[in-house]
Amino acid sequence: MPARIVYAVRAAAALAAAAPATIKAQALAEAHDIPLAYLYELLTALRRAGLVHTQRGSDGGYGLHRPPDQVTLGDIVRALDGPAAYAATPVAASTVDERLYQLWRSADHATMRVLDEVTLADLPGG
């Protein structure tokens, strides 16, 4: 998995463990060794996808928008990579043998099926 997906899942799992409370981005970054500026980008993508929300004020921070058992790892991947996440192959069909192209497509679909079956509640601490 790309680092951005790993970081986003770690951040979302921390938010799930804290739900329904919120966590400040600075605390989240420090606790999970995620560069703060990068974390803000990830949280913005997750917020735009409706997976997290922000709360202003001294008690503010980031929190899950839905219960942990209603957020899948597939939701997180699609929030960062778009709706066609893992639906495209790493190479164009015209540059590889058709069988290899179909193999990559099958692997991509299988990956998303697995990620869509795992919720944040299924993760340790979630």
Side-chain angles (χ1 to χ4, degrees), residues 9-117:
V9 168
R10 284 169 46 193
L15 295 177
T22 60
I23 302 175
K24 294 192 181 303
Q26 180 74 38
L28 192 57
E30 290 172 4
H32 297 283
D33 198 29
I34 303 170
L36 184 59
Y38 196 52
L39 178 62
Y40 279 127
E41 290 177 26
L42 298 174
L43 290 170
T44 296
L46 296 175
R47 185 183 54 77
R48 286 183 181 147
L51 300 178
V52 302
H53 71 303
T54 59
Q55 181 177 320
R56 294 180 185 249
S58 61
D59 292 334
Y62 289 85
L64 284 183
H65 190 67
R66 302 188 312 228
D69 65 346
Q70 293 179 14
V71 179
T72 69
L73 300 189
D75 294 332
I76 294 168
V77 169
R78 280 187 285 280
L80 298 176
D81 288 347
Y86 290 92
T89 60
V91 293
S94 62
T95 64
V96 297
D97 179 274
E98 180 64 23
R99 290 177 303 177
L100 185 55
Y101 176 77
Q102 291 304 323
L103 174 66
W104 283 120
R105 272 185 71 78
S106 295
D108 292 342
H109 289 292
T111 298
M112 288 310 295
R113 274 195 306 273
V114 169
L115 295 175
D116 282 335
E117 292 176 3

